[in-house]
Amino acid sequence: MERLYQIIKTYFIILFLLFLSSCKTSNNSTNKNLRKFHREHPDLSSKLEAQVKNIYKEKRLLGDFIFAIVDENGLAYSFTINDTVLSDKKSSFNNDSPIYIASSTKAFTGTLLKILEQKKILSLNKSLNNYLPELNYKDSVDTKKISIKSLLNHTHGTFSTSMAWKTAFLGYSGKNEELIHDLNTDFLYDKSREFRYSNVGPIIAGIVLEKVTGKTWKSEMKNYVFDPLKMKNTSAYVSNYHLKNIYPSLTVSKERGLIKKGFYKEDITMHAAGGIISTINDLSKWLSANIREDTIILNKNSWLDLHNPTTSQNKKYFTYHRTDYSLGWDIAEYQKEKILTRFGNLAGISFHMSFMQKKKIGVIAFSNDNRAYLLPHLMANYAYNLLNELPADSIFLSEKLKFDQSFKKENEITYPKNSQLLTENDTINKIVGIYKNTENWPTISIDKKDNYYLFKWGILSGKIYRKEEGGYLCNLGVFTRDFEINNETLSTGSLIYKKVAL
């Protein structure tokens, strides 16, 4: 027994040493790449950081800005700016701090479905009817003509408001049967089947994945993407992180300053179109794998399908002319260079991920002050122009005009004043209670807390304010919602809720 114990002990010591050696090798490789990039671009960091610092001071930005440059070898450069850093203090946030990447998740989902096709678990060319016949849209849509590929590239033509809101904002039972019911009973259909961007297609593709594999989209993402790329701090579960460590959303205005701060996602609203939390270090592994088309997760032909057009579009966003869409990336042109982009937004969070295939260089950028949602894109452009030896400073000045305009517009949004806060009195107390909707939307509750009232809709909640023209409103973080209450009926938008007896 003693000899067996020694053998087992030695075995685990060897494993531990191998693990330490692997970590050391990985860190050395990253540091080597950082040094190499700095030697090749000695002025880039000072120019980039000076521009961001100037914007922070000029606009009096709150929150955080994170920026990284990635090449085929991994992370090449990164920096973080916030009030703490500007005060010459050490920030608690670093390259291993969790970031919500919002709709950039779609590129991951497209990759996951392509991996499953490569493994012959499913086919992107097969129809929705083939895999999910219970989704029939009241037999008014021919789902035999909707392929899984069309779900990923937004040409399926279908939309459901209730399904989209539940999965992105409000929450639901967690059962796919509920989402399928919503799609079957509350839907729109565009017969042209032209490119129409939304969360719906990738979410349905995730439901198909779960039907075929018997496993969740979240677990399969870990098995086939996160683990092979050693993305150890990446997850589709909010519950895998301490909430205080996740970069929050900030809602800010010129008149009121900081209006609201928080992270408005839970496990139930982390979905296949916007449901991944990661870090700069992990995302650099993902983006680098795309840049070099790493065969760890896909073969070369599969990468071609992921990065090449599957449908056309003709849209302009900021400075990017989007011409096509792949299985998860917008294909655009910037300064006569082809660029693949995947952006994401939630409340104040703005996330940028892009790469230029021919140049083998990419950018990750993040900000969380709602007024500065164009900042990640503005600074990504500046970095690309410096790297491509274009007149970066003059281009920056012209592009910053668009940033200034959008900032001014967001900064001047008016929010309810403290004097409008709904406070306690006997008449108002009558609105307290639970309200239910007959069309399967999440329950609304109104509760009194201290001397004010809270409106809770699904997983979201916010203080209630009086509208000057009558009725009420509340800021739920991801959006502001108006509502009225007459007798026992609560109406918000076109939705009608009835108060229920306790």
Side-chain angles (χ1 to χ4, degrees):
M1 286 295 292
E2 180 66 25
R3 178 174 173 75
L4 179 61
Y5 171 76
Q6 290 298 329
I7 291 172
I8 293 172
K9 182 179 178 181
T10 303
Y11 173 74
F12 279 105
I13 289 173
I14 291 171
L15 282 180
F16 181 67
L17 290 174
L18 286 171
F19 171 75
L20 289 179
S21 175
S22 173
C23 291
K24 186 176 180 181
T25 301
S26 176
N27 290 334
N28 286 342
S29 177
T30 299
N31 290 334
K32 184 179 179 181
N33 202 42
L34 292 168
R35 290 193 297 270
K36 176 177 177 289
F37 183 84
H38 182 69
R39 285 196 306 270
E40 293 173 352
H41 309 281
D43 299 326
L44 184 139
S45 61
S46 59
K47 289 183 175 181
L48 265 173
E49 292 168 33
Q51 294 285 20
V52 177
K53 286 179 181 178
N54 287 339
I55 290 175
Y56 254 78
K57 292 174 182 177
E58 175 193 340
K59 304 297 187 187
R60 297 183 180 180
L61 288 183
L62 301 181
D64 310 273
F65 178 75
I66 309 157
F67 192 88
I69 295 175
V70 178
D71 62 20
E72 57 190 327
N73 297 312
L75 184 64
Y77 166 77
S78 68
F79 76 97
T80 299
I81 294 290
N82 52 31
D83 284 341
T84 305
V85 174
L86 289 170
S87 302
D88 295 322
K89 298 176 183 177
K90 187 176 180 180
S91 174
S92 60
F93 291 112
N94 55 47
N95 285 356
D96 285 320
S97 297
I99 303 168
Y100 175 62
I101 72 168
S103 285
S104 292
T105 300
K106 293 178 177 71
F108 283 85
T109 296
T111 302
L112 175 58
L113 270 290
K114 190 63 188 177
I115 290 170
L116 295 180
E117 180 177 63
Q118 185 176 283
K119 292 181 177 295
K120 302 187 185 307
I121 295 172
L122 53 73
S123 170
L124 299 186
N125 291 320
K126 285 191 175 181
S127 76
L128 183 54
N129 180 73
N130 186 277
Y131 291 116
L132 208 63
E134 59 268 43
L135 177 52
N136 54 35
Y137 300 97
K138 292 184 178 177
D139 294 324
S140 61
V141 176
D142 187 357
T143 57
K144 292 178 182 177
K145 294 181 179 179
I146 297 178
S147 68
I148 307 307
K149 180 183 288 184
S150 73
L151 297 172
L152 297 172
N153 69 13
H154 309 288
T155 60
H156 52 92
T158 67
F159 184 75
S160 169
T161 302
S162 57
M163 183 266 219
W165 277 58
K166 286 180 181 181
T167 51
F169 308 127
L170 304 176
Y172 62 106
S173 66
K175 296 179 180 179
N176 288 336
E177 290 81 1
E178 179 179 345
L179 302 183
I180 291 169
H181 174 268
D182 289 341
L183 286 160
N184 281 335
T185 56
D186 171 28
F187 66 89
L188 299 171
Y189 181 56
D190 177 7
K191 293 181 179 179
S192 75
R193 305 272 304 280
E194 292 180 354
F195 177 86
R196 190 179 295 273
Y197 181 87
S198 78
N199 285 346
V200 170
I203 293 174
I204 297 174
I207 295 173
V208 168
L209 178 155
E210 295 184 6
K211 177 80 175 293
V212 172
T213 65
K215 298 178 182 178
T216 67
W217 165 83
K218 291 178 169 72
S219 65
E220 293 295 74
M221 189 66 74
K222 181 179 186 298
N223 293 336
Y224 288 111
V225 181
F226 303 156
D227 285 352
L229 293 179
K230 295 182 171 56
M231 298 172 69
K232 296 180 180 179
N233 295 316
T234 302
S235 177
Y237 291 94
V238 177
S239 57
N240 282 343
Y241 304 88
H242 292 294
L243 197 59
K244 66 178 182 179
N245 294 333
I246 301 172
Y247 281 96
S249 298
L250 275 68
T251 304
V252 189
S253 78
K254 180 180 180 180
E255 182 185 17
R256 294 276 312 279
L258 181 62
I259 304 294
K260 197 172 179 73
K261 177 180 179 180
F263 185 66
Y264 308 111
K265 285 282 184 177
E266 295 183 8
D267 287 348
I268 194 61
T269 51
M270 296 287 278
H271 54 78
I276 290 175
I277 294 173
S278 189
T279 67
I280 289 295
N281 281 335
D282 275 7
L283 290 167
S284 66
K285 295 173 183 177
W286 158 252
L287 191 53
S288 184
N290 276 269
I291 290 170
R292 65 177 178 270
E293 298 187 344
D294 199 318
T295 55
I296 289 175
I297 56 175
L298 284 169
N299 61 39
K300 292 297 182 183
N301 287 333
S302 292
W303 280 116
L304 285 174
D305 289 342
L306 273 173
H307 292 158
N308 285 339
T310 61
T311 190
S312 61
Q313 60 170 311
N314 184 18
K315 297 183 181 297
K316 186 78 179 287
Y317 180 77
F318 188 43
T319 58
Y320 312 106
H321 177 214
R322 295 170 171 171
T323 57
D324 301 284
Y325 195 88
S326 67
L327 294 176
W329 295 90
D330 286 292
I331 301 172
E333 185 179 277
Y334 177 69
Q335 297 294 335
K336 298 182 180 180
E337 291 281 352
K338 178 184 175 182
I339 182 171
L340 276 73
T341 70
R342 187 85 296 272
F343 305 153
N345 295 278
L346 179 76
I349 288 172
S350 178
F351 181 80
H352 173 114
M353 183 162 55
S354 65
F355 66 103
M356 291 182 173
Q357 286 177 302
K358 288 186 178 179
K359 301 289 184 177
K360 294 190 179 299
I361 200 78
V363 168
I364 301 164
F366 171 99
S367 68
N368 57 0
D369 182 326
N370 66 291
R371 303 168 299 170
Y373 69 91
L374 286 182
L375 185 59
H377 315 313
L378 176 67
M379 298 316 302
N381 289 354
Y382 187 56
Y384 282 125
N385 292 332
L386 288 171
L387 292 167
N388 292 333
E389 298 181 350
L390 295 174
D393 291 318
S394 62
I395 296 171
F396 176 83
L397 288 175
S398 66
E399 294 182 353
K400 186 174 177 291
L401 294 175
K402 294 183 179 181
F403 170 80
D404 291 338
Q405 291 168 1
S406 71
F407 182 91
K408 184 175 184 293
K409 185 177 179 181
E410 292 290 322
N411 202 29
E412 292 179 351
I413 293 174
T414 58
Y415 296 89
K417 301 178 179 65
N418 288 333
S419 60
Q420 293 174 248
L421 186 66
L422 191 65
T423 54
E424 181 180 9
N425 66 55
D426 291 339
T427 301
I428 296 301
N429 274 338
K430 293 178 181 178
I431 72 172
V432 170
I434 295 173
Y435 298 80
K436 291 193 174 181
N437 169 265
T438 59
E439 297 173 344
N440 208 31
W441 281 76
T443 297
I444 290 173
S445 66
I446 295 177
D447 302 295
K448 185 171 73 69
K449 184 176 181 181
D450 300 328
N451 192 38
Y452 60 89
Y453 295 84
L454 277 178
F455 180 95
K456 185 173 183 182
W457 194 10
I459 69 167
L460 301 178
S461 65
K463 293 180 180 179
I464 300 176
Y465 295 83
R466 291 183 184 273
K467 290 174 62 180
E468 293 177 352
E469 63 273 27
Y472 309 101
L473 63 81
C474 61
N475 185 338
L476 296 173
V478 291
F479 53 80
T480 297
R481 194 72 179 179
D482 296 352
F483 66 97
E484 295 182 356
I485 299 178
N486 293 307
N487 297 321
E488 304 287 288
T489 300
L490 184 154
S491 58
T492 175
S494 61
L495 299 176
I496 303 299
Y497 279 76
K498 294 289 185 180
K499 191 173 184 180
V500 297
L502 297 179

